[in-house]
């Protein structure tokens, strides 16, 4: 949560900072603020509760002088409500120092008591102000921002990224990170810091990773990184593989609309170079090695939210093709129940952002317990891949809307590739079966593009439902995670009560919810499904219809058996059973987006949420 940007260069800080915040607003949008050291060496700041536009308006009515050094912050509130006074920057050293913070300082209470006893005056309810006052105090002794920050981080517990500027040291921005993201952007006569590369991709595509417990000091012509003890550390530069235009709306009404339109491409790019000569090759897994993969006796998939639903789909495919038992767990539940892990356990983490704190902590835990860790991730250079033994990048491109869409499809694709790779390495699937599955995957992008053509009728459906208070989603087998995903999207975007159920579970309780007019989406398996689940789901439809439900079926094109029982049918192209979720989920993404838009809500930035959940 919280987006951070830091800049040293020429006298255009405000423009750079606001651009960096605009591109990172998806990380948090409770308030925004900037601090700039102007050309006369004077530090000034502005901050405002609400979205970034409120800050822009404030800067128009109450401008500050521009300068060559500055920091900016967009907030997802943790300690202290989303108010002006709790917005960042927080000030220290009598207003000469500004600090921004992402994360939670867990021992802030004791530190605050200590400062209060010394007579400090607090102007906010945040944990971050404690850090600002402490760094200010340390600066009075050290007269060096880097050294002052180093002394303070040694006293902090929890997860944090901190950026600090001091007016006595213009031309210097110092950042520190522990379990929260921070990356350097290398420019020409200018340098940047950001929570992610979106902060500066407009200006440079050269980035440098900063590791855990490290401090970076940037100046116009130099960048230095040390550990928390002050020892220099080696850094790794990489090139950002997308440009700024990829993170622009490009004429779409919302980022989510654009990202749904990119779903075919997200799958295609994730497959690219990995399906070769009708087989699947994942050289990225070399870091783990075929010998280890052959000996794995269990896979544990860890993830949160939508990524966990992708994991549930991965379980069906991986178990079928590799015959390795797979458990899927929410990262935050996994870590705290003393899970059984051995060196023969492969832990697969899934994360779009690569920064989800719950998943990051679970990955570290699994690694320490001796398991092999593979991460499936969409964000180059992020924290989770760095903590893993191997990484399988999805190539969905930057995902900006808070609701995850194209990344979900790319994650499922990557998991299916993993299942095929493991099946090949362990000889549990023959080359013909691999070739058939690979061919199915290769056809998916075109089929998703076909589903996208029904967007107009789904939009109409959504417009009829703006007063709906509750929607249920049913699916069986691979349709179940799709039902869960459909419900999550509706909750987060349209603020409607929504639940996903396994259709077989209906008669064990949830059917009591059905009353006349209840809207139920049903993901119907193909009539050609080898498990013969189709007639069972059609029976479930009849059972709820008999009790007054209004049924919207997502069913294979030409499925005549469903037509008499559904109020609406959204057709999807024919595909093998395992691959249907990659098509069936698309109308649900569109539906949630359209219902949110029809209700006049903010599609890209739903209330109370942030794109990357970087606090536990
Ligand atoms: O970045 P991650 O994939 O780790 O994020 C996981 C979840 O926070 C994320 O999928 C969340 O559930 C989305 N808002 C769902 O649309």
């Amino acid at each position: 949560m919280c987006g951070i940007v830091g800049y040293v260069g020429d006298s255009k800080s405000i423009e750079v900072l606001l651009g960096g915040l605009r591109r990172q607003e998806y990380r948090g949008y409770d308030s925004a603020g900037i601090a700039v050291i102007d050309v006369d060496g004077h530090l000034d700041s502005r901050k405002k509760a609400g979205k970034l536009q409120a800050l822009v308006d404030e800067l128009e009515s109450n401008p500050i002088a521009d300068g060559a050094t500055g920091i900016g912050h967009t907030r997802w509130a943790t300690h202290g409500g989303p108010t002006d006074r709790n917005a960042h920057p927080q000030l220290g050293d009598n207003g000469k120092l500004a600090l921004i913070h992402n994360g939670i300082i867990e021992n802030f209470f004791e530190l605050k008591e200590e400062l209060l006893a010394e007579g400090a005056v607090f102007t906010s309810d945040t944990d971050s102000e404690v850090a600002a006052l402490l760094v200010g105090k340390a600066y009075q002794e050290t007269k060096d921002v880097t050294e002052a920050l180093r002394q303070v981080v040694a006293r902090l517990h929890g997860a944090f990224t901190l950026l600090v500027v001091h007016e006595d040291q213009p031309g210097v921005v110092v950042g520190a990170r522990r379990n929260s993201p921070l990356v350097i952007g290398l420019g020409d006569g200018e340098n940047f810091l950001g929570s992610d590369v979106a902060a500066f991709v407009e200006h440079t595509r050269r980035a440098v990773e900063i590791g855990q417990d490290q401090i970076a000091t940037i100046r116009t012509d130099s960048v230095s990184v040390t550990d928390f003890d002050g020892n220099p550390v080696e850094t790794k530069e990489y090139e950002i593989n997308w440009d700024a235009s990829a993170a622009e709306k490009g004429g779409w009404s919302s980022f989510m609309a654009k990202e749904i339109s990119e779903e075919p491409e997200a799958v295609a790019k994730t497959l690219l170079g990995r399906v070769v000569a009708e087989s699947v090759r994942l050289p990225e897994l070399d870091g783990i090695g075929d010998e280890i993969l052959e000996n794995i006796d269990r896979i544990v998939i860890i993830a949160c939210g939508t990524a966990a639903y992708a994991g549930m789909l991965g379980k069906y495919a991986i178990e079928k093709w590799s015959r390795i038992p797979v458990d899927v767990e929410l990262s935050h539940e996994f870590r705290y129940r003393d899970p059984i892990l051995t060196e023969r356990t492969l832990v697969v983490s899934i994360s779009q952002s690569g920064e989800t704190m719950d998943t990051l902590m679970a990955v570290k835990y699994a690694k320490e317990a001796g398991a092999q860790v593979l991460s499936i991730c969409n964000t180059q250079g992020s924290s989770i891949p760095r903590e893993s033994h191997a990484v399988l990048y999805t190539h969905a491109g930057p995902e900006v809307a808070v609701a995850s869409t194209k990344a979900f499809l790319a994650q499922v694709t990557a998991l299916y590739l993993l299942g095929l790779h493991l099946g090949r390495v362990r000889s549990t699937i023959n080359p013909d079966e691999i070739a058939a599955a690979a061919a199915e995957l290769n056809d998916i992008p075109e089929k998703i593009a076909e589903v996208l053509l029904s967007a107009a009728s789904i939009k109409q459906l959504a417009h009829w439902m703006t007063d709906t208070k509750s929607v249920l989603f049913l699916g069986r087998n691979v349709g179940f995670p799709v039902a869960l995903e459909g419900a999550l999207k509706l909750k987060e975007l349209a603020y409607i009560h929504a639940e996903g159920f396994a259709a077989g579970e209906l008669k064990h309780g949830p059917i009591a919810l059905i009353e006349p007019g209840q809207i139920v989406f049903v993901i119907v398996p193909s009539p050609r499904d080898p498990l013969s689940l189709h007639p069972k789901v059609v029976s479930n439809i009849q059972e709820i219809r008999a009790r007054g439900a209004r049924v919207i079926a997502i069913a294979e094109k030409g499925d005549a058996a469903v037509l008499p029982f559904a109020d609406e049918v959204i057709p999807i192209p024919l595909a093998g059973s395992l691959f249907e979720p990659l098509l069936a989920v698309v109308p649900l993404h569109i539906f949630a987006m359209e219902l949110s838009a029809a209700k006049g809500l903010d599609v890209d930035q739903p209330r109370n949420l942030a794109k990357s959940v970087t606090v536990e």
Side-chain angles (χ1 to χ4, degrees):
M1 346 284 275
C2 302
I4 275 180
V5 55
Y7 175 71
V8 274
D10 56 28
S11 313
K12 54 163 195 229
S13 286
I14 296 176
E15 181 196 324
V16 174
L17 297 175
L18 291 179
L21 293 183
R22 186 171 59 80
R23 287 185 193 285
Q24 292 187 107
E25 199 180 11
Y26 64 86
R27 301 183 69 93
Y29 32 86
D30 287 333
S31 64
I34 59 169
V36 172
I37 302 176
D38 68 22
V39 283
D40 299 324
H42 174 66
L43 184 139
D44 204 353
S45 64
R46 294 288 181 276
K47 52 188 192 168
K48 207 73 199 150
K51 296 203 171 167
L52 181 59
Q53 190 55 43
L55 173 67
V56 173
D57 295 344
E58 169 71 8
L59 283 164
E60 258 169 39
S61 57
N62 187 12
I64 52 176
D66 212 343
T69 309
I71 54 178
H73 186 266
T74 176
R75 179 173 188 241
W76 187 86
T78 57
H79 291 59
T83 58
D84 287 354
R85 66 191 229 113
N86 290 333
H88 299 207
Q90 293 291 326
L91 304 181
D93 200 7
N94 299 313
K96 292 201 279 181
L97 171 150
L99 172 144
I100 53 179
H101 169 216
N102 171 24
I104 292 176
I105 298 167
E106 286 171 359
N107 58 333
F108 91 99
F109 188 73
E110 301 99 87
L111 296 169
K112 187 169 181 172
E113 293 285 292
E114 180 188 308
L115 286 164
L116 283 169
E118 291 170 5
V121 178
F122 283 81
T123 56
S124 81
D125 313 312
T126 64
D127 51 345
S128 317
E129 191 176 10
V130 168
L133 294 178
L134 285 173
V135 181
K137 202 172 120 189
Y139 184 85
Q140 285 169 4
E141 282 162 27
T142 61
K143 301 296 175 205
D144 180 75
V145 185
T146 308
E147 189 47 39
L149 185 58
R150 185 172 297 131
Q151 287 184 5
V152 171
V153 290
R155 303 193 61 201
L156 305 182
H157 302 164
F160 50 81
T161 299
L162 299 166
L163 290 199
V164 185
V165 289
H166 194 293
E167 68 176 23
D168 290 352
Q169 280 195 295
V172 178
V173 180
V174 186
R177 72 165 292 221
R178 167 176 289 163
N179 292 329
S180 270
L182 185 63
V183 56
I184 300 171
L186 298 175
D188 189 7
E190 54 184 4
N191 288 307
F192 309 81
L193 286 163
S195 294
D196 65 48
V197 297
F200 48 74
V201 67
E202 203 173 347
H203 307 284
T204 178
R205 287 171 72 177
R206 291 174 61 208
V208 174
E209 293 177 2
I210 305 176
Q212 289 303 353
D213 289 3
Q214 291 182 358
I215 294 193
T217 306
I218 61 165
R219 296 181 166 83
T220 46
D221 53 357
S222 72
V223 160
S224 70
V225 183
T226 67
D227 62 21
F228 277 4
D229 295 325
N231 305 307
V233 293
E234 245 181 68
T235 53
K236 203 169 108 205
E237 183 182 331
Y238 64 97
E239 195 181 325
I240 303 162
N241 60 8
W242 50 275
D243 63 23
S245 65
E248 294 291 347
K249 271 193 226 166
W252 291 89
S253 56
S254 62
F255 278 107
M256 188 176 176
K258 174 176 176 252
E259 287 157 11
I260 291 175
S261 82
E262 291 167 347
E263 288 186 337
E265 201 185 335
V267 172
K269 285 192 170 161
T270 301
L271 290 173
L272 201 68
R274 289 166 171 164
V275 177
V276 181
E278 300 188 328
S279 191
V280 170
R281 304 263 166 230
L282 300 176
E284 298 93 331
L285 267 61
D286 290 352
I288 292 181
D290 281 1
E291 203 180 316
I292 294 176
L293 294 180
E294 278 164 32
N295 287 313
I296 297 164
D297 61 6
R298 185 166 153 254
I299 291 177
V300 182
I301 295 179
I302 49 172
C304 300
T306 282
Y309 301 147
M312 288 172 73
L313 285 169
K315 172 182 167 79
Y316 291 93
I318 296 170
E319 286 191 342
K320 180 178 163 70
W321 291 326
S322 74
R323 305 311 298 153
I324 306 170
V326 179
D327 295 318
V328 185
E329 297 210 37
L330 295 169
S331 314
H332 36 88
E333 291 294 318
F334 164 81
R335 190 178 149 223
Y336 293 103
R337 62 164 184 75
D338 196 9
I340 299 163
L341 299 168
T342 72
E343 69 279 6
R344 294 182 68 192
T345 312
L346 176 66
V347 170
V348 179
S349 83
I350 311 171
S351 176
Q352 188 287 129
S353 60
E355 299 295 350
T356 298
M357 181 62 75
D358 294 313
T359 305
L360 176 62
M361 290 304 174
V363 161
K364 287 187 179 184
Y365 179 95
K367 221 170 132 192
E368 273 164 29
Q372 290 294 315
V373 180
L374 165 69
S375 59
I376 293 180
C377 185
N378 196 43
T379 309
Q380 239 185 326
S382 53
S383 300
I384 294 173
R386 278 212 303 273
E387 295 294 331
S388 309
H389 294 106
V391 52
L392 193 54
Y393 278 112
T394 49
H395 297 299
E399 194 178 65
V400 176
V402 163
S404 188
T405 53
K406 61 176 180 172
F408 171 79
L409 287 151
Q411 286 160 351
V412 177
T413 305
L415 286 159
Y416 282 22
L417 289 171
L418 175 64
L420 292 169
H421 180 91
L422 290 172
R424 182 180 57 74
V425 170
R426 296 163 69 98
S427 307
T428 45
I429 173 170
N430 69 45
D432 290 346
E433 289 169 309
I434 296 178
E440 284 267 13
L441 282 173
N442 274 333
D443 288 345
I444 290 294
E446 211 179 310
K447 291 180 183 175
I448 297 176
E450 195 181 325
V451 179
L452 292 175
L453 297 176
S454 35
S457 54
I458 299 168
K459 180 175 180 174
Q460 205 171 33
L461 204 60
H463 276 255
W464 290 332
M465 288 193 203
T466 47
D467 294 330
T468 302
K469 297 278 176 276
S470 157
V471 178
L472 305 182
F473 294 78
L474 299 183
R476 242 176 212 263
N477 194 255
V478 289
F480 175 40
V482 177
L484 294 172
E485 166 68 358
L488 175 61
K489 285 292 168 292
L490 212 53
K491 280 183 248 202
E492 71 177 328
L493 290 167
Y495 317 153
I496 285 180
H497 172 254
E499 293 294 331
F501 295 112
E505 190 65 9
L506 206 61
K507 293 192 276 293
H508 300 281
I511 198 164
L513 290 170
I514 305 292
E515 53 187 33
Q518 171 68 53
I519 308 279
V520 186
F521 277 82
V522 184
I523 293 93
V524 184
S526 161
R528 302 167 294 110
D529 170 42
L531 300 172
S532 304
L533 290 174
H534 180 265
K536 295 191 200 309
V537 172
V538 174
S539 297
N540 294 145
I541 292 178
Q542 285 170 284
E543 289 154 11
I544 55 173
R545 273 283 294 245
R547 288 159 178 85
R550 288 193 55 206
V551 173
I552 301 164
I554 299 178
E556 186 175 282
K557 218 165 26 178
D559 181 349
V562 160
L563 286 177
F565 308 113
D567 296 273
E568 298 286 338
V569 177
I570 301 172
I572 57 172
L574 276 62
S577 301
L578 263 180
F579 304 91
E580 276 174 2
L582 288 155
L583 308 176
V585 77
V586 176
L588 300 182
H589 286 166
I590 300 171
F591 177 74
M593 173 186 71
E594 293 296 356
L595 190 49
S596 167
K599 290 178 76 172
L601 302 173
D602 190 330
V603 170
D604 288 333
Q605 296 178 343
R607 70 182 176 203
N608 304 338
L609 289 167
K611 181 73 179 159
S612 317
V613 183
T614 55
V615 291
E616 280 188 272

